[in-house]
Amino acid sequence: DGKNKKLTMEELRLQWLSWLAPEESDAVRQLERRLHDSVTLTPDPTVARTAVDFAAEHHFERAAVVPERTLLTTALHHAIGRAGPEAILQAEYRSDLIVGQEQGRTMVTSPAVLAEEEMMLAFAKSGRNACDALVTERPAAAPEWFNAGQRKALKHLLTNQDRIMVLRGVAGAGKTSLLSELNQQAEANGRQIHAFAPSADASRGVLREAGFTAAETLATLLVSPKLQEAVRTQ
């Protein structure tokens, strides 16, 4: 993964071979001959297909798009000793995975992930100007130590009427401090914010320390009818 990503696999192979001393090249060729003579994989398309399916399920659980080489690596590891690279590649080609180029890299996703993305986009578009703002009156002034970006983001989150709003910033930009102020102003206006995060550290650690005392994981929300009803009534 640390190699130059702009080079093709064949260019990388030539570069790696150029680094070998003559005796090292001979050793590699001898090892290749011994392996070829002693191990013969019986092609089994179901093994390769299962390995590709496993890799897709594994990676697309947390990412919408991954490098093709990452998915193929996982599939090869899953099928090691039972299916070779050619079988894995054929299984990928015959699958319904969507392959494309991004900045010179081959990336892959799945129709199921694409459908989820389209569903989320449609949900976000349908929620434009569909809700009451968290603060219907003029928001209170932001803390003096907030920078311009934090002030602008806080005002947007408090007064916007979209169902979906996104707060994005690099680590250390002050997102947690901003959310803490957002929570205080919302509560002062009679609104309750339910906070959730993917991990326990983020929800029960960072968010609770920021003032969201009942913050929970998304997994808890998905399995708790009581919590779902509490959120639905807001």
Side-chain angles (χ1 to χ4, degrees):
D1 286 340
K3 303 297 181 185
N4 189 335
K5 294 181 172 60
K6 294 183 180 180
L7 296 179
T8 65
M9 183 55 66
E10 185 57 33
E11 289 171 334
L12 283 172
R13 288 174 64 86
L14 291 174
Q15 187 178 77
W16 296 333
L17 290 172
S18 71
W19 294 341
L20 295 177
E23 60 272 16
E24 292 173 327
S25 296
D26 291 340
V28 170
R29 283 193 291 270
Q30 291 175 20
L31 176 60
E32 183 180 13
R33 283 195 295 270
R34 288 202 303 271
L35 288 173
H36 184 270
D37 294 340
S38 62
V39 178
T40 301
L41 289 177
T42 301
D44 184 349
T46 61
V47 171
R49 186 167 60 248
T50 300
V52 171
D53 291 342
F54 170 84
E57 183 177 353
H58 172 75
H59 288 291
F60 297 142
E61 181 181 4
R62 292 182 176 271
V65 181
V66 297
E68 182 187 39
R69 61 188 295 173
T70 299
L71 184 137
L72 292 176
T73 298
T74 301
L76 282 167
H77 286 170
H78 188 72
I80 193 166
R82 298 177 295 137
E86 294 80 7
I88 295 294
L89 284 171
Q90 286 299 318
E92 184 206 13
Y93 295 152
R94 292 169 181 167
S95 72
D96 60 356
L97 294 175
I98 302 169
V99 181
Q101 298 294 318
E102 181 184 10
Q103 297 180 350
R105 301 177 68 192
T106 303
M107 309 295 288
V108 62
T109 187
S110 75
V113 172
L114 180 60
E116 289 178 354
E117 295 276 325
E118 292 174 341
M119 181 182 67
M120 287 190 290
L121 287 172
F123 180 73
K125 290 178 180 178
S126 67
R128 288 175 177 169
N129 296 313
C131 305
D132 293 333
L134 289 175
V135 176
T136 54
E137 304 295 332
R138 184 174 180 179
E144 293 184 0
W145 51 270
F146 267 28
N147 59 38
Q150 287 175 305
R151 293 173 188 273
K152 182 178 179 181
L154 178 63
K155 181 179 179 181
H156 176 79
L157 294 173
L158 288 171
T159 61
N160 193 278
Q161 293 180 288
D162 292 346
R163 189 183 304 277
I164 302 293
M165 290 182 283
V166 177
L167 173 65
R168 185 178 181 185
V170 298
K175 298 185 296 296
T176 303
S177 299
L178 188 154
L179 290 175
S180 179
E181 177 65 21
L182 174 78
N183 189 40
Q184 294 179 40
Q185 291 208 31
E187 289 184 343
N189 283 269
R191 306 300 293 273
Q192 182 182 4
I193 292 181
H194 296 269
F196 302 93
S199 69
D201 287 342
S203 59
R204 296 164 192 159
V206 176
L207 287 178
R208 289 190 182 184
E209 290 175 2
F212 299 93
T213 56
E216 277 292 353
T217 62
L218 288 168
T220 301
L221 173 63
L222 292 175
V223 299
S224 172
K226 182 178 179 181
L227 194 53
Q228 293 169 15
E229 184 61 29
V231 173
R232 187 179 294 111
T233 58
Q234 295 302 308

